[in-house]
Amino acid sequence: MNTAERNDQPLLLALRALKLGDLLVAVPALRGLRRAFPEHRILYAAPAWIAEALELVGGIHHLPTPGLDDPLTVPHGAVDIAVNLHGNGAESRLRIEELGANRVVAHEAPGIDGPAWTSGLPERERWTRLLNWHGIEADPLDYRLNLPAVPSSRPGATVIHVGAAYGSRLWPVDRFADVAVELAAAGHDVVLTGGASERGRAEQTAALAKLKGANLDDGLLAGRQGLAEFAATIAEARLVVSADTGAAHLASAYGRPSVVLFGPAPAEEWGPPPGPHKVLTAVELRRGDVFSADPDPALLAVSVRDVVDAVERLGT
């Protein structure tokens, strides 16, 4: 990649080759970097499909990076400041080291000065704490996003996001359908969202809801929206019901009321910031295997009634 050759600004590279939710909890750190280094061109190294979401952050450029298996596509020595927002494992440290940057912002490791890695921190605080240690001001509550360039096709809708990246976070389809029926009966304009791979789950949810009297066919948005359209749907939603996914983080970023179902991941680290949000889980049952194909017991312990009651408590 000839990023450095196309622009004479010094380069700051932030590595976080992860998913949408991971980007959204790193927004406060990215905002801090943008303010602290206005003369730098900031590259965010992450999978290619994340580019559209970066437009919602503003002032950040994209370096397509599928993962940590291969060196980053930036010439050695081209990066002025390298920031490890990915983690503190050997793989991410190696990718940062290979850049030959003039300055490295990272957690403490052999040959690297930084704060000690501490378990149990909220993710927004983890990365702003890292920057603060290195003398860079960042506020964990600076997580709001810019509005998408496109408007919502269903302003005021109640979004039920049926998908998740891993089986451990997949709440049963029949329960999503029952929640949809209850909310539709209460006057909510229910839409079902998800990625292209989750279209089948959305169709199953709609079919089960239809059997109980709620026709959601015109609200089947899963697999039909780009990232900007999806973000717009969340930004103008009445309510969002989701597992611990990017949809939940978008609801936080736009201040939309949400009910978030947690399974393997600890809500104290990945949960929403203070606001109109309700977290549902059963901590004592949590198995914690994020990559499992089966729903975590902490997630399965959440009932349809739990979700409907949480919606009522939100007053939406």
Side-chain angles (χ1 to χ4, degrees):
M1 179 179 176
N2 60 353
T3 300
E5 299 170 9
R6 294 200 310 266
N7 195 299
D8 59 4
Q9 291 176 278
L11 286 180
L12 184 156
L13 185 145
L15 172 64
R16 194 163 172 81
L18 297 165
K19 296 180 171 58
L20 177 61
D22 302 284
L23 164 64
L24 298 180
V25 295
V27 165
L30 293 173
R31 290 266 166 76
L33 292 171
R34 181 68 286 165
R35 285 192 300 270
F37 302 100
E39 74 284 2
H40 282 67
R41 178 180 175 86
I42 298 181
L43 298 179
Y44 184 79
W49 59 268
I50 214 79
E52 210 171 351
L54 283 175
E55 297 177 9
L56 306 176
V57 180
I60 309 293
H61 300 273
H62 183 226
L63 178 70
T65 303
L68 300 180
D69 291 341
D70 299 306
L72 300 171
T73 55
V74 176
H76 179 85
V79 172
D80 180 38
I81 303 171
V83 185
N84 189 349
L85 297 181
H86 189 96
N88 197 35
E91 295 88 352
S92 63
R93 294 202 304 267
L94 175 60
R95 299 286 84 101
I96 292 290
E97 180 184 347
E98 290 169 340
L99 296 173
N102 296 319
R103 178 181 179 186
V104 172
V105 176
H107 284 87
E108 181 183 26
I112 299 175
D113 289 331
W117 182 273
T118 303
S119 300
L121 289 177
E123 282 291 294
R124 293 175 185 84
E125 293 182 16
R126 176 182 306 287
W127 303 111
T128 54
R129 172 178 174 268
L130 169 66
L131 298 193
N132 293 163
W133 191 97
H134 285 275
I136 303 166
E137 291 187 9
D139 181 355
L141 295 181
D142 186 11
Y143 55 83
R144 294 299 179 88
L145 294 175
N146 301 328
L147 288 172
V150 298
S152 171
S153 61
R154 295 288 284 269
T158 285
V159 174
I160 296 181
H161 189 78
V162 299
Y166 304 108
S168 62
R169 298 178 181 177
L170 291 177
W171 204 48
V173 166
D174 61 327
R175 299 191 200 180
F176 274 126
D178 286 345
V179 168
V181 170
E182 293 258 10
L183 296 184
H188 291 250
D189 175 25
V190 177
V191 298
L192 304 176
T193 60
S197 64
E198 295 151 353
R199 174 75 183 181
R201 279 180 61 85
E203 289 175 340
Q204 292 175 44
T205 302
L208 289 172
K210 195 170 186 177
L211 290 175
K212 299 185 178 184
N215 190 341
L216 306 180
D217 289 346
D218 68 340
L220 266 170
L221 304 184
R224 293 180 174 174
Q225 295 183 307
L227 193 50
E229 295 170 303
F230 173 51
T233 302
I234 300 286
E236 297 185 49
R238 173 181 179 179
L239 167 73
V240 177
V241 177
S242 172
D244 170 30
T245 68
H249 293 294
L250 282 171
S252 296
Y254 290 118
R256 306 317 304 148
S258 66
V259 177
V260 188
L261 287 59
F262 270 81
E268 57 270 23
E269 295 181 33
W270 292 92
H277 314 295
K278 299 293 183 183
V279 168
L280 301 177
T281 189
V283 175
E284 71 280 3
L285 298 179
R286 186 170 68 215
R287 186 169 56 214
D289 183 0
V290 174
F291 302 107
S292 172
D294 301 317
D296 194 279
L299 179 70
L300 292 179
V302 177
S303 69
V304 171
R305 179 46 50 190
D306 291 334
V307 175
V308 174
D309 287 348
V311 171
E312 292 176 354
R313 291 197 302 273
L314 284 170
T316 59

